[in-house]
PDB file of all heavy atoms in Angstrom:
ATOM      1  N   SER A   3       1.995   4.866   0.716  1.00 37.00           N
ATOM      2  CA  SER A   3       1.716   5.824   1.913  1.00 37.00           C
ATOM      3  C   SER A   3       1.785   7.261   1.350  1.00 37.00           C
ATOM      4  O   SER A   3       2.485   7.502   0.517  1.00 37.00           O
ATOM      5  CB  SER A   3       2.891   5.668   3.039  1.00 37.00           C
ATOM      6  OG  SER A   3       2.857   4.382   3.603  1.00 37.00           O
ATOM      7  N   VAL A   8      -4.729  16.397   6.447  1.00 34.00           N
ATOM      8  CA  VAL A   8      -5.509  17.390   7.099  1.00 34.00           C
ATOM      9  C   VAL A   8      -4.875  17.693   8.426  1.00 34.00           C
ATOM     10  O   VAL A   8      -4.342  16.824   9.193  1.00 34.00           O
ATOM     11  CB  VAL A   8      -6.985  16.836   7.522  1.00 34.00           C
ATOM     12  CG1 VAL A   8      -7.752  17.850   8.288  1.00 34.00           C
ATOM     13  CG2 VAL A   8      -7.664  16.505   6.211  1.00 34.00           C
ATOM     14  N   VAL A  10      -5.724  20.423  11.433  1.00 38.00           N
ATOM     15  CA  VAL A  10      -6.549  21.501  11.875  1.00 38.00           C
ATOM     16  C   VAL A  10      -6.423  21.880  13.303  1.00 38.00           C
ATOM     17  O   VAL A  10      -6.336  20.880  14.023  1.00 38.00           O
ATOM     18  CB  VAL A  10      -7.952  21.200  11.582  1.00 38.00           C
ATOM     19  CG1 VAL A  10      -8.985  22.267  12.150  1.00 38.00           C
ATOM     20  CG2 VAL A  10      -8.363  20.795  10.277  1.00 38.00           C
ATOM     21  N   PRO A  18     -15.720  28.596  24.412  1.00 43.00           N
ATOM     22  CA  PRO A  18     -14.708  27.757  25.270  1.00 43.00           C
ATOM     23  C   PRO A  18     -15.367  26.707  26.062  1.00 43.00           C
ATOM     24  O   PRO A  18     -16.630  26.693  26.201  1.00 43.00           O
ATOM     25  CB  PRO A  18     -14.325  28.959  26.215  1.00 43.00           C
ATOM     26  CG  PRO A  18     -15.356  29.874  26.144  1.00 43.00           C
ATOM     27  CD  PRO A  18     -15.902  29.800  24.789  1.00 43.00           C
ATOM     28  N   MET A  26     -13.793  28.932  33.045  1.00 70.00           N
ATOM     29  CA  MET A  26     -13.639  28.569  31.601  1.00 70.00           C
ATOM     30  C   MET A  26     -12.190  28.006  31.354  1.00 70.00           C
ATOM     31  O   MET A  26     -11.310  28.097  32.207  1.00 70.00           O
ATOM     32  CB  MET A  26     -13.719  29.720  30.723  1.00 70.00           C
ATOM     33  CG  MET A  26     -15.076  30.478  30.853  1.00 70.00           C
ATOM     34  SD  MET A  26     -16.495  29.418  30.752  1.00 70.00           S
ATOM     35  CE  MET A  26     -16.500  29.327  29.066  1.00 70.00           C
ATOM     36  N   ALA A  29      -9.793  25.259  24.734  1.00 92.00           N
ATOM     37  CA  ALA A  29      -9.824  24.102  24.120  1.00 92.00           C
ATOM     38  C   ALA A  29      -8.803  24.125  22.873  1.00 92.00           C
ATOM     39  O   ALA A  29      -8.541  25.028  22.256  1.00 92.00           O
ATOM     40  CB  ALA A  29     -11.314  23.792  23.596  1.00 92.00           C
ATOM     41  N   VAL A  43      -0.700   3.387  13.621  1.00 95.00           N
ATOM     42  CA  VAL A  43      -0.530   4.721  14.020  1.00 95.00           C
ATOM     43  C   VAL A  43      -0.254   4.717  15.569  1.00 95.00           C
ATOM     44  O   VAL A  43       0.615   5.375  16.082  1.00 95.00           O
ATOM     45  CB  VAL A  43      -1.744   5.661  13.683  1.00 95.00           C
ATOM     46  CG1 VAL A  43      -1.761   7.023  14.401  1.00 95.00           C
ATOM     47  CG2 VAL A  43      -1.842   5.783  12.158  1.00 95.00           C
ATOM     48  N   ILE A  65       6.496  11.226  29.144  1.00 89.00           N
ATOM     49  CA  ILE A  65       7.729  11.826  28.649  1.00 89.00           C
ATOM     50  C   ILE A  65       7.769  13.227  29.299  1.00 89.00           C
ATOM     51  O   ILE A  65       6.809  13.931  29.524  1.00 89.00           O
ATOM     52  CB  ILE A  65       7.812  11.898  27.101  1.00 89.00           C
ATOM     53  CG1 ILE A  65       9.127  12.337  26.665  1.00 89.00           C
ATOM     54  CG2 ILE A  65       6.713  12.856  26.609  1.00 89.00           C
ATOM     55  CD1 ILE A  65       9.578  12.098  25.330  1.00 89.00           C
ATOM     56  N   GLU A  99      -2.812  13.596  29.326  1.00 95.00           N
ATOM     57  CA  GLU A  99      -2.585  14.673  30.293  1.00 95.00           C
ATOM     58  C   GLU A  99      -1.204  15.426  29.944  1.00 95.00           C
ATOM     59  O   GLU A  99      -0.231  14.720  29.855  1.00 95.00           O
ATOM     60  CB  GLU A  99      -2.437  14.115  31.607  1.00 95.00           C
ATOM     61  CG  GLU A  99      -3.729  13.401  32.181  1.00 95.00           C
ATOM     62  CD  GLU A  99      -3.519  12.828  33.553  1.00 95.00           C
ATOM     63  OE1 GLU A  99      -2.369  12.981  34.074  1.00 95.00           O
ATOM     64  OE2 GLU A  99      -4.405  12.346  34.095  1.00 95.00           O
ATOM     65  N   GLY A 104       5.166  21.771  38.651  1.00 80.00           N
ATOM     66  CA  GLY A 104       5.332  23.019  39.641  1.00 80.00           C
ATOM     67  C   GLY A 104       4.501  24.192  39.341  1.00 80.00           C
ATOM     68  O   GLY A 104       4.612  25.295  40.006  1.00 80.00           O
ATOM     69  N   THR A 123      -8.138   8.401  10.942  1.00 95.00           N
ATOM     70  CA  THR A 123      -8.061   9.742  11.349  1.00 95.00           C
ATOM     71  C   THR A 123      -7.553   9.813  12.834  1.00 95.00           C
ATOM     72  O   THR A 123      -7.747   8.797  13.677  1.00 95.00           O
ATOM     73  CB  THR A 123      -9.528  10.462  11.371  1.00 95.00           C
ATOM     74  OG1 THR A 123     -10.384   9.795  12.200  1.00 95.00           O
ATOM     75  CG2 THR A 123      -9.989  10.566   9.886  1.00 95.00           C
ATOM     76  N   SER A 139      -6.902  32.794  31.926  1.00 82.00           N
ATOM     77  CA  SER A 139      -7.149  32.803  30.494  1.00 82.00           C
ATOM     78  C   SER A 139      -5.784  33.383  29.807  1.00 82.00           C
ATOM     79  O   SER A 139      -5.430  32.891  28.683  1.00 82.00           O
ATOM     80  CB  SER A 139      -8.291  33.607  30.051  1.00 82.00           C
ATOM     81  OG  SER A 139      -8.246  34.890  30.408  1.00 82.00           O
ATOM     82  N   GLU A 156       4.615  15.342  18.056  1.00 87.00           N
ATOM     83  CA  GLU A 156       4.327  13.928  18.299  1.00 87.00           C
ATOM     84  C   GLU A 156       3.592  13.350  17.045  1.00 87.00           C
ATOM     85  O   GLU A 156       3.860  12.209  16.530  1.00 87.00           O
ATOM     86  CB  GLU A 156       3.469  13.740  19.457  1.00 87.00           C
ATOM     87  CG  GLU A 156       3.136  12.353  19.888  1.00 87.00           C
ATOM     88  CD  GLU A 156       2.423  12.224  21.145  1.00 87.00           C
ATOM     89  OE1 GLU A 156       2.324  13.169  21.908  1.00 87.00           O
ATOM     90  OE2 GLU A 156       1.914  11.111  21.348  1.00 87.00           O
TER      91      GLU A 156
END
Side-chain angles (χ1 to χ4, degrees):
S3 292
V8 177
V10 180
M26 303 310 280
V43 169
I65 190 158
E99 295 178 359
T123 59
S139 62
E156 187 174 345

